Amino acid sequence: MQEFRRMSRLPPYVFATVNKIKMDARHRGEDIIDLGMGNPDLPTPKHIVKKLIEAAKKGHNHRYSASMGITKLRHAICDWYKRRYDVELNPDEEAIVTIGAKEGLSHLVLATISPGDVVFAPNPTYPIHPYSVIIAGGDLRSIPIGPDRDFFEDLLVAVKQTWPNPKMLIISYPHNPTTAVVDREFFEKIVDFCREHEMVVVHDFAYADLVFDNYEPPSFLQIPGAKEIGVEFFSLSKSYSMPGWRVGFCVGNPVLVGALRRIKSYLDYGVFQPIQIASIIALNGPNDCVKEIVDIYKERRDVLIEGLDRVGWHIEKPKGTMFVWGKIPDRYIEMGSLEFSKMLIEKAKVAVSPGIGFGEYGDDHVRFALVENPHRIRQAIKGIKQII
C-alpha cells in the first residue's frame, strides 16, 4: 500500500522501546517496579463512583449525549472556575466538555491550524502538545525550556526567526515532564507577548490541583485579556483520579471554543452521559477527596526524593504534578536517557520514562511517575542504589 504521509511525519514512539523491555522482563518473572507511565493508580472517590452507578441504571442515559457536553455539566464547570479563580464564563459559548484534555486539545489544533501555520510548543513537553500540530499538518517550532533558560528571550528569538508569523503557543503549567511551575506574572507576560504578536494561547491546566508546599497555581484565564486570545484545558483524570473515565473540558475564548464545538459535532456524540453526571458531582464537591489524593502524591514524592538523595542522586522537590524530573547522574549522562532507562530496567528493576520521549532537550533527564506506594518506591530506590 502507498505511504500514509501524515503517519510518516510522526516519529517512532520512544516509550514503546522501554515498555517492550519492561514487559519482556516481566514475562521472565522479574518484578519490575513501574514508575514510567503517568497512569494514576488511586481509585476514583466513592461518591463519584456511586453517582455513576446510579446514573448508569437509568435507561435514558444510555442514548447519544451532546458532543459539547450536557448543560448541567457546563454550568458546573463555569461555577467551578468562578469559585476557584473568580473567572466568569458563559456555559453556552465559553465552555465545552471533552473526552479528556488530550482529545480536546488535539481536536482544537486540528480545527484551527492549517498546513503551513507555525505553532510554538516548549521542549521538552507532553507529546500531544507538539504532535497535535504535526497531525494537523502545521509547522512546529520548539522552544527549549529549563532552569538555565529565559523562556521569553527564547520566544522573542523564535518569533524573529519565523515566517510566516506564528499562530499559536501551547503551554502547560504545572508542567509535565519538567514539573516547572509559574506565577501570575508569567501569565501576564504571556498575555502581553501573544497579544502583541497576534498569537493564540492554549494552556493545558491538567495539574491544577496536584501541587505541594503551599504553592497555588494561577489560572491563565485570571489574567485580564486572556480570554480574548486563548483557552484553558482541564482534566478530571488527576485531581479526581478519573483517568480511565476520559472527561475534561476547555474554557475561554468563544471563537476557539466554537471551533472545537463544531469539529466535535462531526466527530463524536460526547462522553457517556452517566460519566458526565458523575463529573458534576466531582466538580461540585466535596473537595476533601482531592486533598487526600494530593497528600498521597506528596508522601510518594518525599519518599522518592529523600531516598534518591540518600543514595547520591540529588533532585529538587517538585512543587507540582505527579512526577519527578531527574537529571541523569554525571557518570551515565553520555548514555542518553533511552539507554539509561533500559539499564534501570535491566539492572535496577525499575522502569522510568526517558526524557528524549518528551523532546530532544529532555535527553539528559528521566521522568519518574509517582504511581507506586511508598513501600514499592523504597524497593525501587534499593535497586537504583546498586548502580548509583
Side-chain angles (χ1 to χ4, degrees):
M1 295 185 68
Q2 66 182 21
E3 181 183 21
F4 301 118
R5 291 188 61 190
R6 182 169 283 112
M7 292 299 98
S8 69
R9 294 191 71 196
L10 295 174
Y13 197 55
V14 172
F15 303 118
T17 303
V18 176
N19 287 339
K20 184 180 186 307
I21 296 171
K22 176 186 69 180
M23 295 310 299
D24 288 346
R26 284 181 168 172
H27 290 154
R28 294 192 298 268
E30 298 177 21
D31 180 20
I32 304 297
I33 301 169
D34 193 356
L35 303 177
M37 184 178 178
N39 190 359
D41 63 313
L42 304 175
T44 305
K46 292 180 179 179
H47 68 286
I48 302 173
V49 177
K50 181 180 178 182
K51 190 64 179 181
L52 171 73
I53 295 170
E54 177 187 314
K57 289 180 178 179
K58 298 178 179 178
H60 63 267
N61 287 328
H62 300 174
R63 304 180 68 186
Y64 292 131
S65 189
S67 61
M68 67 182 295
I70 60 176
T71 302
K72 287 186 178 179
L73 178 52
R74 286 184 280 108
H75 278 269
I77 290 165
C78 296
D79 292 344
W80 185 85
Y81 256 88
K82 178 63 178 175
R83 290 194 309 272
R84 292 284 299 270
Y85 305 110
D86 197 26
V87 172
E88 297 277 359
L89 292 164
N90 182 321
D92 295 321
E93 298 180 356
E94 298 175 336
I96 182 171
V97 179
T98 60
I99 308 173
K102 189 174 184 180
E103 174 273 325
L105 191 149
S106 56
H107 279 146
L108 175 65
V109 173
L110 186 62
T112 57
I113 296 302
S114 301
D117 287 342
V118 178
V119 178
F120 288 170
N123 186 330
T125 198
Y126 183 51
I128 196 58
H129 296 165
Y131 291 120
S132 63
V133 180
I134 302 301
I135 292 168
D139 289 341
L140 174 70
R141 178 71 187 270
S142 294
I143 310 297
I145 58 172
D148 57 340
R149 305 198 69 103
D150 185 314
F151 185 66
F152 290 96
E153 282 187 12
D154 288 333
L155 261 184
L156 186 58
V157 169
V159 168
K160 290 179 178 179
Q161 294 177 347
T162 300
W163 181 262
N165 292 332
K167 189 170 183 178
M168 179 181 286
L169 171 67
I170 302 175
I171 52 176
S172 178
Y173 292 98
H175 186 254
N176 173 18
T178 70
T179 74
V181 297
V182 297
D183 54 18
R184 184 184 173 105
E185 182 183 359
F186 176 88
F187 283 136
E188 290 172 350
K189 290 181 178 179
I190 288 289
V191 171
D192 290 343
F193 186 93
C194 292
R195 288 180 76 171
E196 179 183 352
H197 296 282
E198 299 181 341
M199 296 169 62
V200 165
V201 178
V202 177
H203 180 232
D204 186 349
F205 204 22
Y207 298 94
D209 290 304
L210 265 59
V211 291
F212 319 109
D213 306 332
N214 299 315
Y215 169 68
E216 295 184 9
S219 162
F220 165 72
L221 293 179
Q222 287 178 292
I223 308 306
K227 199 193 297 185
E228 297 172 16
I229 62 168
V231 292
E232 190 161 71
F233 282 89
F234 179 80
S235 167
L236 277 70
S237 296
K238 284 80 179 179
S239 300
Y240 301 94
S241 202
M242 296 168 64
W245 298 51
R246 306 314 302 134
V247 59
F249 53 80
C250 172
V251 292
N253 183 271
V255 175
L256 295 172
V257 169
L260 179 56
R261 179 172 63 242
R262 187 172 181 187
I263 197 170
K264 281 177 64 65
S265 71
Y266 285 93
L267 295 171
D268 68 71
Y269 285 108
V271 178
F272 183 44
Q273 194 149 296
I275 291 177
Q276 295 193 57
I277 294 169
S279 298
I280 296 170
I281 298 301
L283 292 174
N284 286 343
N287 211 46
D288 295 350
C289 61
V290 177
K291 185 180 184 305
E292 291 172 6
I293 289 169
V294 172
D295 287 344
I296 290 170
Y297 282 120
K298 181 180 183 297
E299 180 189 13
R300 294 176 179 183
R301 178 204 67 168
D302 292 345
V303 169
L304 179 61
I305 293 286
E306 292 164 12
L308 290 175
D309 192 66
R310 285 195 300 273
V311 301
W313 192 348
H314 307 294
I315 304 171
E316 188 175 341
K317 284 186 178 180
K319 291 185 178 180
T321 78
M322 54 182 285
F323 305 110
V324 167
W325 182 242
K327 189 172 184 180
I328 298 171
D330 290 343
R331 63 185 291 195
Y332 295 116
I333 202 161
E334 289 187 4
M335 295 177 69
S337 60
L338 183 56
E339 293 303 316
F340 180 71
S341 297
K342 290 179 184 178
M343 185 180 71
L344 282 182
I345 295 176
E346 293 164 354
K347 295 186 177 181
K349 310 305 177 188
V350 178
V352 298
S353 293
I356 188 68
F358 304 97
E360 62 270 27
Y361 291 102
D363 198 25
D364 56 353
H365 283 70
V366 292
R367 191 195 71 178
F368 297 85
L370 302 173
V371 292
E372 291 275 11
N373 63 48
H375 171 73
R376 294 281 284 173
I377 292 173
R378 292 187 185 97
Q379 186 179 338
I381 292 164
K382 288 181 181 178
I384 292 171
K385 181 180 179 181
Q386 296 177 29
I387 63 171
I388 298 297

